[in-house]
C-alpha cells in the first residue's frame, strides 16, 4: 500500500497543519468517529500511545520512535481541540504554558542563577 498524504505548502508549518487537520476532523464535515470522541474516551488511547513511545525507545529504531511520538502528539492536539471547542484553551495555550514553565524552571539558563551540576540545576526548579 502506498502512503498517502496531502502535499504541504512550503510556507505551512507541519504543526499548524496538524492543528488544522484535527479541526477539520472534528468539524461537521469531518469524521464521525473523531467527532464522537471525548476526553474520557481518549484517555486509554493516550496511555497506549505513551507505552508505544517507550517501546520504540527500547527498540532503538529512530523511525519507529518518530512515528510513535507523532501518535502521542496527536493525542495532545486532539484533547486540546476538544478543550478549544469548550472555550477552555487551545493547543497554542498549551504551548505558551509549557514555554513559560521551562523559562521558570531554568533560571540558570534564562536568569541570573549559576549552577555547576545537574543536581544544582534540578534544585533551582
Amino acid at each position: 500500500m502506498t502512503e498517502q498524504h496531502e502535499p504541504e505548502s512550503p510556507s505551512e508549518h507541519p504543526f499548524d497543519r496538524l492543528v488544522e487537520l484535527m479541526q477539520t476532523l472534528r468539524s461537521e464535515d469531518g469524521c464521525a468517529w473523531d467527532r464522537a470522541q471525548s476526553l474520557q474516551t481518549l484517555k486509554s488511547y493516550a496511555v497506549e500511545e505513551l507505552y508505544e513511545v517507550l517501546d520504540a525507545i527500547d527498540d532503538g529504531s529512530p523511525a519507529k520512535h518518530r512515528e510513535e511520538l507523532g501518535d502521542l502528539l496527536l493525542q495532545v492536539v486532539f484533547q486540546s481541540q476538544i478543550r478549544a471547542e469548550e472555550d477552555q484553551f487551545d493547543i497554542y495555550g498549551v504551548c505558551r504554558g509549557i514555554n513559560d514553565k521551562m523559562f521558570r524552571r531554568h533560571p540558570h539558563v534564562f536568569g541570573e542563577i549559576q549552577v555547576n551540576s545537574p543536581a544544582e540545576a534540578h534544585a533551582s526548579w
Side-chain angles (χ1 to χ4, degrees), residues 45-118:
Y45 294 106
V47 170
E48 178 183 335
E49 296 304 346
L50 177 57
Y51 278 113
E52 289 178 4
V53 166
L54 299 177
D55 287 342
I57 291 169
D58 290 343
D59 289 347
S61 167
K64 186 70 172 167
H65 190 200
R66 180 186 64 222
E67 178 184 345
E68 297 304 341
L69 284 173
D71 291 347
L72 185 59
L73 177 60
L74 178 64
Q75 290 300 311
V76 175
V77 171
F78 204 152
Q79 291 183 33
S80 296
Q81 177 59 33
I82 292 171
R83 287 297 190 182
E85 293 164 8
E86 299 170 344
D87 291 324
Q88 300 295 316
F89 60 82
D90 64 13
I91 189 65
Y92 298 103
V94 173
C95 292
R96 282 188 296 277
I98 194 62
N99 280 330
D100 291 347
K101 186 179 200 176
M102 290 295 96
F103 278 107
R104 281 193 317 273
R105 286 199 171 176
H106 293 85
H108 55 285
V109 175
F110 303 109
E112 309 256 336
I113 295 175
Q114 295 204 356
V115 298
N116 298 310
S117 71

Side-chain angles (χ1 to χ4, degrees), residues 20-32 34-35 81 85:
E20 291 170 6
L21 177 68
M22 183 50 62
Q23 290 169 345
T24 299
L25 292 173
R26 292 275 302 172
S27 75
E28 264 186 45
D29 297 325
C31 173
D34 289 300
R35 282 193 318 270
Q81 177 59 33
E85 293 164 8

